[in-house]
Amino acid sequence: MKLLGSVASPYTRKVRVVLAEKKIDCEFEAADVNPPENPVNVLNPLGKVPTLVLDDGTALFDSRVIVEFLDSVSPISRLIPDDNRERVAVRRWEALADGSLDAGLLIRYESLRPKNEQSRAWTDKQTGKLARGLAMISADLADRPWCHGDRYTLADIAVGCCLGWVEFRRPAGIDWRGEYANLGRFYDKLMEWPAFADTAPPKA
Ligand code: GSF
């Protein structure tokens, strides 16, 4: 298997953390998806990372499909519960974390456009989504050690990757550490684990 990704990509990080937790060996290839014509396009028409290429050549995307696949190929360290309600609760956390990230990325992409083409209204709309997403993550986590139930799951991985990226890129100057002390404690604890420490985004 080969994972096409980027070390700054939070969705790629989610897959890399899952690979590490599941002890699955996988080659990593850095792919630059910035140019409209990029090497990922032939595998994934959306031209996005992460994209996982299986041994038979099948390309899987997006990160939610990839992590579901990885969790079921090995019984080691199950990250997505079998029970319907529990699984949906974990995937809801993932949707919240990924959706907050989606808004963060849109803020960042907008900020990289020429100043006179940037829309304040668009950026404000996405900033609202990200701010509300982080507020919900903080409120729902409260002072519990894990996002869902009494064990580490994909929910914690998704939230950790979201927090790590927002701290790295600071879209719209958002400072979740300053605003939500519980998120700081949560993220710092995750970063003690090799799977998280080894996949941390580069220094900004
Ligand atoms: C999002 C992937 C994505 O936007 C997933 O895999 O979960 N829902 C998808 N990836 C970005 C890179 S990133 O993580 O910052 C990407 O590939 N952007 C290129 C583009 O053309 O949007």
Side-chain angles (χ1 to χ4, degrees):
M1 287 194 304
K2 184 164 75 175
L3 179 66
L4 299 179
S6 137
V7 290
S9 156
Y11 313 96
T12 301
R13 187 184 190 191
K14 181 170 38 136
V15 172
R16 294 176 76 200
V17 171
V18 169
L19 283 166
E21 300 297 1
K22 308 278 303 175
K23 305 199 184 328
I24 298 173
D25 279 330
C26 183
E27 189 188 334
F28 179 76
E29 186 176 308
D32 179 3
V33 288
N34 285 317
E37 292 309 320
N38 70 63
V40 179
N41 289 348
V42 289
L43 295 158
N44 169 359
L46 308 175
K48 293 189 183 195
V49 290
T51 293
L52 181 72
V53 186
L54 304 184
D55 292 339
D56 68 0
T58 307
L60 297 185
F61 46 88
D62 66 17
S63 64
R64 294 187 218 182
V65 172
I66 297 172
V67 297
E68 180 171 342
F69 170 76
L70 294 174
D71 196 40
S72 53
V73 288
S74 160
I76 297 175
S77 199
R78 287 309 296 263
L79 298 167
I80 304 173
D82 283 329
D83 174 82
N84 190 37
R85 289 298 290 264
E86 297 232 3
R87 186 177 65 253
V88 166
V90 165
R91 305 238 72 168
R92 179 178 182 271
W93 271 104
E94 186 186 24
L96 175 61
D98 282 17
S100 302
L101 271 175
D102 292 343
L105 259 97
L106 290 174
I107 296 167
R108 176 168 165 76
Y109 292 154
E110 189 69 9
S111 75
L112 297 175
R113 300 176 69 209
K115 278 257 176 300
N116 62 338
E117 289 177 21
Q118 294 178 20
S119 160
R120 190 49 187 270
W122 173 256
T123 297
D124 287 350
K125 184 177 179 188
Q126 302 309 324
T127 304
K129 290 176 196 283
L130 175 56
R132 290 191 301 274
L134 290 167
M136 182 181 252
I137 289 171
S138 169
D140 287 2
L141 177 65
D143 281 321
R144 291 178 302 115
W146 308 117
C147 292
H148 176 73
D150 57 4
R151 72 177 183 94
Y152 175 71
T153 66
L154 177 64
D156 305 294
I157 297 173
V159 167
C161 293
C162 170
L163 295 176
W165 184 86
V166 175
E167 183 168 54
F168 164 54
R169 292 293 193 199
R170 293 267 182 128
I174 283 183
D175 169 24
W176 56 257
R177 230 177 239 285
E179 225 167 319
Y180 304 112
N182 65 333
L183 297 186
R185 288 192 294 274
F186 176 78
Y187 187 69
D188 290 344
K189 195 176 57 154
L190 285 181
M191 282 291 281
E192 289 172 10
W193 300 32
F196 266 87
D198 295 348
T199 55
K203 294 270 171 263

Coordinates of all heavy atoms in Angstrom, one line a residue, residues 6 8-15 33-35 38 40 44 46-51 61-66 94 98 101-102 105 108-109 165 169, ligand 1:
S6 N 0.5 14.8 2.5 CA 1.3 15.9 2.8 C 1.5 16.0 4.3 O 0.5 15.7 5.0 CB 0.7 17.2 2.2 OG 0.8 18.2 3.1
A8 N 1.7 18.5 6.1 CA 1.0 19.6 6.7 C -0.5 19.3 6.7 O -1.3 20.0 7.2 CB 1.3 20.9 5.9
S9 N -0.9 18.2 6.0 CA -2.4 17.9 5.8 C -3.0 17.2 7.0 O -2.5 16.1 7.4 CB -2.6 17.1 4.6 OG -3.8 16.3 4.6
P10 N -4.0 17.8 7.6 CA -4.6 17.2 8.8 C -5.3 15.9 8.5 O -5.4 15.0 9.4 CB -5.5 18.3 9.3 CG -5.9 19.1 8.1 CD -4.6 19.1 7.3
Y11 N -5.9 15.8 7.3 CA -6.6 14.6 7.0 C -5.6 13.5 6.7 O -5.9 12.3 7.0 CB -7.5 14.8 5.8 CG -8.3 16.1 5.8 CD1 -7.9 17.2 5.2 CD2 -9.5 16.1 6.5 CE1 -8.6 18.4 5.2 CE2 -10.3 17.2 6.5 CZ -9.8 18.4 5.8 OH -10.6 19.5 5.9
T12 N -4.5 13.8 6.1 CA -3.4 12.8 6.0 C -2.9 12.4 7.3 O -2.6 11.2 7.6 CB -2.2 13.4 5.1 OG1 -2.7 13.8 3.9 CG2 -1.1 12.4 5.0
R13 N -2.8 13.3 8.3 CA -2.3 13.0 9.6 C -3.2 12.0 10.3 O -2.8 11.0 10.9 CB -2.2 14.3 10.5 CG -1.6 14.0 11.8 CD -1.5 15.2 12.7 NE -0.7 15.0 13.9 CZ -0.7 15.8 14.9 NH1 -1.4 16.9 14.9 NH2 0.0 15.5 16.0
K14 N -4.5 12.2 10.0 CA -5.5 11.3 10.6 C -5.2 9.8 10.1 O -5.2 8.9 10.9 CB -7.0 11.7 10.2 CG -8.0 10.8 10.8 CD -9.5 11.4 10.7 CE -9.8 12.1 9.4 NZ -11.1 11.7 8.8
V15 N -5.0 9.7 8.8 CA -4.7 8.4 8.3 C -3.4 7.8 8.8 O -3.3 6.7 9.2 CB -4.7 8.4 6.7 CG1 -4.2 7.1 6.2 CG2 -6.1 8.8 6.2
V33 N -0.4 18.9 -4.0 CA -1.7 19.0 -4.7 C -2.0 20.5 -5.1 O -3.1 20.8 -5.5 CB -2.8 18.4 -3.9 CG1 -2.7 16.9 -3.8 CG2 -2.8 19.0 -2.5
N34 N -1.0 21.4 -4.9 CA -1.3 22.8 -5.2 C -1.5 23.0 -6.7 O -2.5 23.7 -7.1 CB -0.2 23.7 -4.7 CG -0.4 23.9 -3.2 OD1 -1.5 24.0 -2.7 ND2 0.7 23.7 -2.4
P35 N -0.7 22.5 -7.6 CA -0.9 22.8 -9.0 C -2.2 22.1 -9.5 O -2.5 21.0 -9.1 CB 0.3 22.1 -9.7 CG 1.3 21.8 -8.6 CD 0.5 21.7 -7.3
N38 N -1.8 17.8 -11.0 CA -0.9 17.2 -10.0 C -1.0 15.7 -10.1 O -1.9 15.2 -10.7 CB -1.3 17.8 -8.6 CG -2.6 17.3 -8.1 OD1 -2.7 16.1 -7.9 ND2 -3.5 18.2 -7.9
V40 N -1.8 13.4 -8.2 CA -2.9 12.7 -7.5 C -4.1 12.6 -8.5 O -4.9 11.6 -8.4 CB -3.3 13.4 -6.2 CG1 -4.4 12.6 -5.5 CG2 -2.1 13.4 -5.3
N44 N -7.1 9.9 -8.2 CA -8.3 10.5 -7.5 C -8.7 11.7 -8.3 O -7.9 12.7 -8.3 CB -7.8 10.8 -6.0 CG -8.9 11.6 -5.3 OD1 -9.9 12.0 -5.8 ND2 -8.6 11.9 -4.0
L46 N -10.5 14.0 -7.7 CA -10.6 15.2 -6.9 C -9.3 15.9 -6.6 O -9.2 17.0 -6.1 CB -11.3 14.9 -5.6 CG -12.7 14.1 -5.8 CD1 -13.2 13.7 -4.4 CD2 -13.7 15.0 -6.6
G47 N -8.2 15.1 -6.9 CA -6.8 15.7 -6.8 C -6.5 16.1 -5.4 O -5.8 17.1 -5.1
K48 N -7.0 15.3 -4.4 CA -6.8 15.6 -3.0 C -6.0 14.5 -2.3 O -6.0 13.4 -2.6 CB -8.1 15.8 -2.3 CG -8.9 17.0 -2.8 CD -10.1 17.2 -1.9 CE -10.9 18.4 -2.5 NZ -11.9 18.9 -1.5
V49 N -5.3 15.0 -1.2 CA -4.7 14.0 -0.3 C -5.4 14.1 1.0 O -6.0 15.2 1.4 CB -3.2 14.3 -0.1 CG1 -2.4 14.0 -1.4 CG2 -3.0 15.8 0.4
P50 N -5.5 12.9 1.7 CA -4.8 11.7 1.4 C -5.6 10.9 0.4 O -6.8 10.9 0.3 CB -4.9 11.0 2.8 CG -6.2 11.5 3.4 CD -6.3 12.9 3.0
T51 N -4.7 10.1 -0.4 CA -5.2 9.1 -1.3 C -4.4 7.8 -1.0 O -3.2 7.9 -0.9 CB -5.1 9.5 -2.7 OG1 -6.0 10.6 -3.0 CG2 -5.5 8.4 -3.7
F61 N -10.2 7.1 -1.4 CA -10.3 8.5 -0.8 C -11.7 8.6 -0.4 O -12.6 7.8 -0.8 CB -10.0 9.5 -1.9 CG -10.7 9.3 -3.2 CD1 -12.0 9.8 -3.4 CD2 -10.1 8.5 -4.2 CE1 -12.6 9.5 -4.6 CE2 -10.8 8.2 -5.4 CZ -12.0 8.7 -5.6
D62 N -12.2 9.5 0.5 CA -11.3 10.4 1.2 C -10.8 9.8 2.6 O -11.0 8.6 2.8 CB -12.0 11.8 1.4 CG -13.2 11.8 2.3 OD1 -13.4 10.9 3.1 OD2 -13.9 12.9 2.2
S63 N -10.4 10.7 3.5 CA -9.8 10.1 4.7 C -10.8 9.3 5.5 O -10.4 8.3 6.1 CB -9.2 11.2 5.6 OG -10.2 12.1 6.0
R64 N -12.1 9.6 5.4 CA -13.1 8.9 6.2 C -13.2 7.4 5.7 O -13.4 6.5 6.4 CB -14.4 9.6 6.2 CG -14.3 10.9 7.0 CD -15.7 11.5 7.1 NE -15.6 12.9 7.0 CZ -16.6 13.8 7.1 NH1 -17.8 13.3 7.4 NH2 -16.4 15.1 6.9
V65 N -13.1 7.3 4.3 CA -13.2 6.0 3.7 C -11.9 5.2 4.0 O -12.0 4.0 4.4 CB -13.4 6.1 2.2 CG1 -13.3 4.8 1.5 CG2 -14.8 6.8 1.9
I66 N -10.8 5.9 4.0 CA -9.5 5.2 4.2 C -9.5 4.7 5.6 O -9.1 3.5 5.8 CB -8.4 6.2 3.9 CG1 -8.3 6.6 2.4 CG2 -7.0 5.5 4.3 CD1 -7.3 7.7 2.1
E94 N -16.0 12.6 14.3 CA -15.1 12.8 13.1 C -15.7 13.9 12.2 O -15.0 14.7 11.7 CB -14.9 11.5 12.4 CG -13.9 11.5 11.3 CD -13.8 10.2 10.5 OE1 -14.8 9.4 10.5 OE2 -12.8 10.0 9.9
D98 N -13.6 17.1 11.2 CA -13.3 17.3 9.8 C -14.0 18.5 9.2 O -13.5 19.3 8.4 CB -13.7 16.1 9.0 CG -12.7 14.9 9.1 OD1 -11.9 14.9 10.0 OD2 -12.7 14.0 8.2
L101 N -12.4 21.6 10.3 CA -11.2 21.7 9.5 C -11.5 22.2 8.1 O -10.8 23.1 7.5 CB -10.5 20.3 9.3 CG -9.5 19.9 10.3 CD1 -9.0 18.5 10.0 CD2 -8.3 20.8 10.3
D102 N -12.5 21.7 7.5 CA -12.9 22.1 6.1 C -13.1 23.6 6.1 O -12.6 24.3 5.2 CB -14.3 21.5 5.7 CG -14.2 20.0 5.4 OD1 -13.0 19.4 5.3 OD2 -15.2 19.3 5.4
L105 N -9.7 25.3 6.3 CA -8.9 25.2 5.1 C -9.5 26.3 4.1 O -8.7 26.9 3.4 CB -9.0 23.9 4.4 CG -7.8 23.0 4.7 CD1 -7.9 22.1 5.9 CD2 -7.4 22.2 3.5
R108 N -8.1 29.5 5.0 CA -6.7 29.6 4.6 C -6.6 29.8 3.1 O -5.8 30.7 2.6 CB -5.9 28.4 5.0 CG -4.5 28.4 4.6 CD -3.6 27.3 5.2 NE -2.4 27.2 4.4 CZ -1.4 28.0 4.5 NH1 -1.4 29.1 5.3 NH2 -0.3 27.8 3.7
Y109 N -7.3 29.0 2.3 CA -7.2 29.2 0.8 C -7.6 30.6 0.4 O -7.0 31.2 -0.4 CB -8.1 28.2 0.1 CG -7.7 26.7 0.2 CD1 -8.6 25.7 0.1 CD2 -6.4 26.4 0.4 CE1 -8.2 24.3 0.2 CE2 -6.0 25.0 0.5 CZ -6.9 24.0 0.4 OH -6.5 22.7 0.5
W165 N -3.8 21.1 13.5 CA -3.7 21.9 12.3 C -4.2 23.4 12.6 O -3.5 24.3 12.1 CB -4.6 21.3 11.2 CG -4.5 22.1 9.9 CD1 -3.5 21.9 8.9 CD2 -5.3 23.2 9.4 NE1 -3.7 22.8 7.9 CE2 -4.7 23.6 8.2 CE3 -6.4 23.9 9.9 CZ2 -5.3 24.7 7.5 CZ3 -6.9 24.9 9.2 CH2 -6.3 25.3 8.0
R169 N -1.8 26.5 11.6 CA -2.1 27.5 10.6 C -2.7 28.7 11.1 O -2.8 29.7 10.5 CB -2.9 26.9 9.5 CG -2.3 25.8 8.6 CD -1.2 26.4 7.8 NE -0.7 25.4 6.8 CZ 0.4 25.5 6.1 NH1 1.3 26.4 6.4 NH2 0.7 24.6 5.2
Ligands
GSF1 C1 -10.4 16.5 2.5 C2 -9.1 16.3 1.8 C3 -8.4 17.7 1.5 O1 -9.1 18.7 1.4 C4 -10.6 14.1 3.3 O2 -9.7 13.4 2.8 O3 -11.0 13.9 4.4 N1 -12.6 15.4 2.9 C5 -11.2 15.2 2.4 N2 -7.1 17.7 1.4 C6 -6.4 18.9 1.0 C7 -5.1 18.9 1.6 S1 -5.1 19.3 3.2 O4 -5.4 18.2 4.0 O5 -4.8 20.5 3.6 C8 -6.2 18.9 -0.5 O6 -5.9 17.9 -1.0 N3 -6.5 20.0 -1.1 C9 -6.3 20.2 -2.5 C10 -7.5 20.7 -3.2 O7 -7.4 20.9 -4.4 O8 -8.5 21.0 -2.5

